[in-house]
Amino acid sequence: MRLIPILVLALSAALAVADTEILNFRLPPPDSNAHAPARARPDVRLTQAQAGAVGLSVSASDPERWVELALPAGAWTARVSWAASSPTRFGLSQHADRLRITAAPLSPRMPHPLLGTADSDGGPDDSAFSTDFTLVVEPLVAGVPRSALPAAAAVLVFAAGACLAVRRIIPLLEAVAGREGAMQVRLKAE
């Protein structure tokens, strides 16, 4: 019987298919003299109407993305999420009104004898990687991302309900335990 919970946990862990990198930032930046490095143009321009999920990709030949933040002043959060099957190290940094997203392979890509090729010495091939990712930009409300507010509210409601219910449940449990204890004493006496 103990094997079933272990199997459920193992299967649940196998279903975890994403990694995430998070950066909280303010617009305008606290350092008003901050300037974005020169770049011809950003890959994506986000406005408040467009803020949300944006699909992008990085590769060995183009390992960075720039996102222009045409958003109102305030506290914001940026999340980069990608499939765990693509081991990639992402970095997020704010440069004035832009986000810089960098990527590098997290571990060497090991060649598969049937599916891939190795580099010239037959070892792992680090030169080629490609990762699709999702960038989510949303405002922070009291330090919490807006999309997490329903979950935070549910936790608070359940915690308050538990505090109120515990006063009634404990006396009921004590009464049941007292009856069971009395019954055990009678059975031992017989």
Side-chain angles (χ1 to χ4, degrees):
M1 292 305 280
R2 293 182 182 181
L3 183 60
I4 292 173
I6 293 171
L7 286 174
V8 169
L9 181 63
L11 289 173
S12 299
L15 294 175
V17 293
D19 288 331
T20 302
E21 184 71 27
I22 298 172
L23 172 71
N24 293 333
F25 60 92
R26 295 196 69 70
L27 287 176
D31 180 9
S32 60
N33 296 327
H35 297 286
R39 179 163 164 102
R41 63 172 211 220
D43 298 301
V44 177
R45 183 174 192 267
L46 285 179
T47 63
Q48 187 170 12
Q50 298 167 321
V54 177
L56 298 167
S57 66
V58 287
S59 63
S61 62
D62 193 10
E64 90 178 0
R65 292 282 176 254
W66 285 88
V67 178
E68 184 180 350
L69 302 168
L71 302 168
W76 293 81
T77 186
R79 267 189 329 269
V80 171
S81 300
W82 65 99
S85 60
S86 299
T88 307
R89 177 180 298 118
F90 276 92
L92 284 170
S93 56
Q94 180 185 9
H95 299 270
D97 64 342
R98 295 187 183 172
L99 281 181
R100 179 180 181 219
I101 304 168
T102 57
L106 184 61
S107 60
R109 307 295 205 245
M110 300 303 287
H112 187 278
L114 300 175
L115 301 175
T117 59
D119 62 7
S120 60
D121 66 356
D125 184 10
D126 288 343
S127 64
F129 79 94
S130 178
T131 304
D132 295 328
F133 66 93
T134 302
L135 171 66
V136 178
V137 177
E138 61 185 333
L140 290 173
V141 179
V144 177
R146 184 176 57 197
S147 63
L149 288 177
V155 167
L156 291 175
V157 167
F158 284 115
C163 289
L164 296 173
V166 81
R167 292 183 183 165
R168 294 180 187 210
I169 293 174
I170 288 180
L172 291 174
L173 292 175
E174 288 174 343
V176 169
R179 278 187 261 145
E180 287 296 317
M183 186 180 287
Q184 292 294 330
V185 170
R186 261 187 290 167
L187 289 175
K188 285 184 182 179
E190 293 176 358

